[in-house]
Amino acid sequence: MHNSRLTIILHYKLDTTNDLLTSRAGLLATAQLMDSLNLTERIDQHFPQPKSNRGYQPSEFIKALILMQHEGSFHLDDIRHIRDDEALCTVLELEKLPQATTLGDWLRRAGSQPQSQEAWVEVNKALLQSALHRCDKVTLDIDATEIVAHKAQAQWTYNKNKGFMPMVGHIAETGQVVAIDFRQGNVSPAHDNLAFIQQCQQSLPEGCALNALRIDAAGYQTKIIRYCDDEGIDYAIRAKTSAAMRAQIDAAGDSDWHPLLDKQGEPISGQDTYRTSFCIGDYEEAFTLIIQRTATRGQASLDLDSQDTHGISQGGYVYRAIATNRDELSDSQVVHWYNQRAEDSENRIKELKLDFGGDTLPCSDVNANALYLLISALSYNLFALMRQLLPEELAHHRAMTLRWRLYAMAAKVVKTGRQWFVKLKEKHQTLLEQVLCALKEFEPPPI
């Protein structure tokens, strides 16, 4: 009865076709941008070459992973989605696509070679330079992020998860990743951050300098503050609380506190700031400390002795502080500038992990996973550059939105004479043509 009813309701028959069909026509945009950047030549110039002439080139592995990640697939087995799409492979001339096992072998092999990290930096510089245009000074946001991964070589993090704790550096002006230090889960976020800041500096394109630094309490270190002063780098660093800071708070009178203003210049209820000079460690050069207090709601007062490394709770307020050398800014401007790192770093890390598979590590080998995360970052940086070039109605969306608005276009691929045609619905054809033209217009840096 059930089957006969379906026969009546569904007025169609299923059939087969030999036409070349794809549901991923919008990935032509990703391929076009890679082509405009001469990404194949850049990758093969810097990454280790195969020992056999019959082996895959490094660009064939990396471009396959980028297409896969832009499509929204993050497991190595998902490469079959691209491999099985005959229409897409035909248009993009993907004559050879590695299988999942071959991808895994290459990640382990290339990940163990130190020059792969250097190669990634050189390829990534082209993406950064294209996005920065003529910008010669940048703001660096760095932050550690936890990647939960139950791998044999993973270690326990401070959150009591097994995984890794890479440090990620972003350029605030473009949102792109400039460097990644892939760390074990048991490595403290405060470990050797000055060396990572210098790594980020060295990973910038030629002619581009680090002008400003924003970092959480993991960067509240004498050597980092001293380095910024010596190099003329502006900074805003979340200060760790201490007995000396508590004494400053206790010594401040009511007249020393001023209302925190929002970006429109209006006072924010229950929030005030206090400016003072401060020193840490054996570094005698004082910096400016902006102490921010926020009234606690629902409690008249809190335990005067309660304290953590980031804030002090006492007298009905929670106190936190920012160390800075930007004395030309008001207290409120310093607070807002520091808070931008949540948008420019923390949210970008979420995009890297959730939208481009940065938290889906495919291998048991640490070095292979480190390389996979770098390739995820390359995919994300390519996407960040693409957003600059897209039409206004697409330019501010995350990848998950562009996947259904741009990438997931149905099309038929037809060859007439010697010319291939990608046939789409008219509105899709208009949008894709507009996007492809925009991605051809910019001038990439020389190889």
Side-chain angles (χ1 to χ4, degrees), residues 105-211:
D105 290 342
W106 179 80
L107 286 170
R108 286 184 285 272
R109 186 171 62 254
S112 66
Q113 298 174 295
Q115 60 265 45
S116 291
Q117 170 78 32
E118 301 169 7
W120 180 88
V121 170
E122 293 304 317
V123 173
N124 192 50
K125 282 181 180 180
L127 273 68
L128 300 181
Q129 187 173 342
S130 296
L132 286 166
H133 304 294
R134 294 179 177 83
C135 179
D136 58 357
K137 295 180 179 179
V138 298
T139 299
L140 174 66
D141 293 313
I142 71 174
D143 202 3
T145 183
E146 181 186 51
I147 297 178
V148 178
H150 298 281
K151 306 294 183 181
Q153 298 181 12
Q155 301 293 326
W156 293 99
T157 73
Y158 64 83
N159 288 326
K160 299 181 180 179
N161 296 312
K162 200 171 184 183
F164 304 94
M165 192 67 70
M167 184 66 71
V168 183
H170 278 87
I171 294 176
E173 286 74 11
T174 65
Q176 292 172 305
V177 177
V178 65
I180 295 178
D181 183 12
F182 195 79
R183 301 174 176 180
Q184 276 287 4
N186 59 355
V187 176
S188 167
H191 174 71
D192 212 9
N193 280 340
L194 176 57
F196 181 66
I197 292 168
Q198 294 168 332
Q199 178 185 339
C200 291
Q201 283 183 285
Q202 295 165 2
S203 301
L204 290 170
E206 185 177 352
C208 186
L210 176 58
N211 182 61

Side-chain angles (χ1 to χ4, degrees), residues 313-329:
S313 298
Q314 67 180 43
Y317 290 96
V318 174
Y319 297 86
R320 291 183 175 84
I322 300 169
T324 185
N325 60 354
R326 296 202 64 182
D327 296 333
E328 80 281 5
L329 299 182

Side-chain angles (χ1 to χ4, degrees), residues 9 17 21 34 60 72 77 95 120 123 130 146 166 201 259 299 303 306 316-317 348 356 372 411 424 426:
I9 292 175
T17 179
L21 306 175
M34 288 194 286
E60 292 176 301
D77 284 340
E95 298 178 359
W120 180 88
V123 173
S130 296
E146 181 186 51
Q201 283 183 285
Q299 300 181 56
D303 183 1
S306 65
Y317 290 96
R348 301 288 83 82
F356 290 91
Y372 182 83
L424 309 96
E426 184 176 356

Side-chain angles (χ1 to χ4, degrees), residues 52-111:
S52 168
N53 292 332
R54 293 175 295 175
Y56 286 96
Q57 291 294 313
S59 59
E60 292 176 301
F61 290 110
I62 294 176
K63 289 174 68 175
L65 287 169
I66 289 175
L67 285 172
M68 188 180 80
Q69 290 164 348
H70 271 248
E71 183 204 32
S73 301
F74 309 134
H75 299 277
L76 297 187
D77 284 340
D78 294 335
I79 192 62
R80 68 181 186 275
H81 298 162
I82 306 295
R83 285 174 53 90
D84 293 346
D85 193 329
E86 185 181 352
L88 183 69
C89 291
T90 298
V91 175
L92 298 184
E93 298 181 343
L94 299 176
E95 298 178 359
K96 292 199 307 179
L97 270 179
Q99 295 182 354
T101 53
T102 311
L103 277 172
D105 290 342
W106 179 80
L107 286 170
R108 286 184 285 272
R109 186 171 62 254

